[in-house]
Amino acid sequence: MRIRLLLILVMALWGSAFASSKAAVGNVPHEVAGFLRFLIGALVLLVALRAPRLPAAEVPRVIGVGMVGVFGYNALFFLALSLAPAADGSVIVPMAAPVCTVAVGVLLGRVRLSGARLLGLALAAAGGIVFFFGIPDTGDTRLLGDLLFLGAAACWSAYTLLGAPLLSRLPAATVTVYATAAGATALGLLAAPALADVRWSELGLEFWLNQAYLGALPTALAYVLYYHAVGRVGPTTATSAMFLVPAFGLTCAWALLGESIAPLQGIGAGLMFVGAWMNTRLAVNDSGSEDATPPANDSAPADRAPATTMIESGPTAAVFDTTAVDADPVPDHDRATASGGRPAVDWAPSTAAPTSAEFDSAAAASNRTAYEVDSSHGSNRLAH
């Protein structure tokens, strides 16, 4: 239950980012708007997380994830916002990204769709289609903008899938901070030619408050929480929650930009909520991620840092403390090792394709194991 609430919070923050980013694009070139958002986000992460240690062997992989999920996604996303309404993006991106993720999982044999989960996806997709047809036309550039939103959704799906293996070895906060920094650097290079065109003295307090919000909450906080959820319940479940974004996105577009929400869009929102709830609930239940308290004998020995080590104390530490939403149980095969430590997760290929429950549960167990082993070296990081 608490992981689902975490995902709902993340989707609400991301839903609000469509309208807020559209407002930013109205004041500065789209390249500059994307760069400022992730520059602020990267700085917040580096200050809050105190630059966690990243093994040298993982640097190329983390940078690659940042190029796809931060640079690639946002280069397309902000360009699309300059051509199409925020309402379009808030429907297309969250509808297409989970479909791409599930399709790739099925092709790789990692996901086996049950009838109930397929029904949930179908309901959510149908709701997205109803939403799309309910949005009024906004001009000749809309089609190009919508195609760019589709490209951004594909980048986000790749970001989720490529990040999942990293989360079996590294904490979500570590992956997020360095992927965001790498992506922000690339966005800065893209925005460099347009920086001279910005009339900086004319940008008011409202613009900078909006940028601070985008950088701190939908970027820094939401990205950490999202990868935390991916590590817990797997990429398929995490991306299925993105079907909640359109309802939040269109609500914010109406409140902040004056974009109307038609009754037909309300029907689509209802279908999306039902479909996302069904898919997320079934996947979380299947992977054993409902509320439970880990057994006492599963805690770390007294001579090493516990697995629940938090970020170093400070005014920003509580913002990134995800312990309150982390109530996943330890799988049964971990409980059996009360005194002998955790068993290794077997990732060897099998002749039979694993179900999504087996895949997601194994990823979650490996993620917890890798982090506890790493915490024995004295690093002070966000708990998994």
Side-chain angles (χ1 to χ4, degrees):
M1 174 63 74
R2 292 183 180 180
I3 287 293
R4 292 205 299 272
L5 293 177
L6 178 151
L7 286 170
I8 290 173
L9 171 62
V10 171
M11 301 311 145
L13 290 173
W14 281 344
S16 70
F18 286 89
S20 295
S21 297
K22 180 70 173 182
V25 169
N27 290 280
V28 296
H30 63 87
E31 306 97 327
V32 176
F35 170 58
L36 289 177
R37 171 180 171 179
F38 281 86
L39 173 64
I40 295 172
L43 292 175
V44 170
L45 286 169
L46 286 170
V47 171
L49 302 179
R50 311 279 181 93
R53 184 177 64 85
L54 178 65
E58 303 288 2
V59 171
R61 298 180 181 90
V62 173
I63 291 178
V65 167
M67 291 298 100
V68 173
V70 178
F71 173 70
Y73 172 83
N74 287 283
L76 295 173
F77 174 76
F78 278 91
L79 177 57
L81 280 177
S82 69
L83 300 172
D88 280 29
S90 67
V91 171
I92 294 171
V93 173
M95 182 180 71
V99 173
C100 291
T101 304
V102 172
V104 172
V106 171
L107 290 175
L108 294 177
R110 294 176 175 178
V111 175
R112 185 175 298 164
L113 292 177
S114 65
R117 289 186 69 182
L118 185 60
L119 175 61
L121 284 172
L123 285 174
I129 294 172
V130 173
F131 247 149
F132 181 84
F133 283 108
I135 298 174
D137 192 3
T138 56
D140 296 336
T141 62
R142 179 180 177 182
L143 178 59
L144 177 58
D146 288 353
L147 291 175
L148 290 171
F149 279 131
L150 283 175
C155 287
W156 186 260
S157 176
Y159 175 69
T160 303
L161 291 168
L162 292 173
L166 283 172
L167 296 175
S168 68
R169 304 185 296 272
L170 298 170
T174 301
V175 176
T176 304
V177 65
Y178 291 110
T180 302
T185 301
L187 288 171
L189 295 175
L190 179 66
L195 292 174
D197 299 331
V198 179
R199 298 180 179 179
W200 298 100
S201 61
E202 298 181 7
L203 299 177
L205 178 62
E206 181 179 353
F207 171 83
W208 291 111
L209 289 176
N210 184 41
Q211 289 299 311
Y213 168 77
L214 283 170
L217 297 183
T219 302
L221 178 61
Y223 271 56
V224 170
L225 295 182
Y226 178 72
Y227 254 178
H228 177 75
V230 170
R232 283 294 183 179
V233 298
T236 303
T237 299
T239 52
S240 70
M242 291 185 71
F243 285 122
L244 297 173
V245 172
F248 294 113
L250 285 181
T251 299
C252 291
W254 169 75
L256 299 177
L257 305 176
E259 296 180 359
S260 61
I261 298 177
L264 187 60
Q265 292 172 319
I267 295 174
L271 290 173
M272 287 186 189
F273 270 110
V274 172
W277 179 81
M278 285 180 60
N279 206 305
T280 306
R281 179 183 66 84
L282 290 168
V284 170
N285 283 342
D286 289 345
S287 60
S289 297
E290 288 296 317
D291 293 349
T293 302
N297 58 20
D298 193 58
S299 59
D303 60 348
R304 69 177 188 180
T308 54
T309 301
M310 288 294 100
I311 303 168
E312 294 179 83
S313 59
T316 56
V319 176
F320 293 91
D321 181 357
T322 58
T323 302
V325 294
D326 177 8
D328 295 343
V330 177
D332 291 339
H333 61 272
D334 282 353
R335 291 194 181 97
T337 57
S339 60
R342 296 177 181 271
V345 177
D346 184 7
W347 289 99
S350 172
T351 55
T355 65
S356 62
E358 294 168 341
F359 174 71
D360 291 347
S361 179
S366 178
N367 186 23
R368 288 192 291 271
T369 302
Y371 175 64
E372 288 194 338
V373 171
D374 188 59
S375 66
S376 66
H377 296 288
S379 57
N380 196 9
R381 295 179 178 166
L382 186 68
H384 270 257

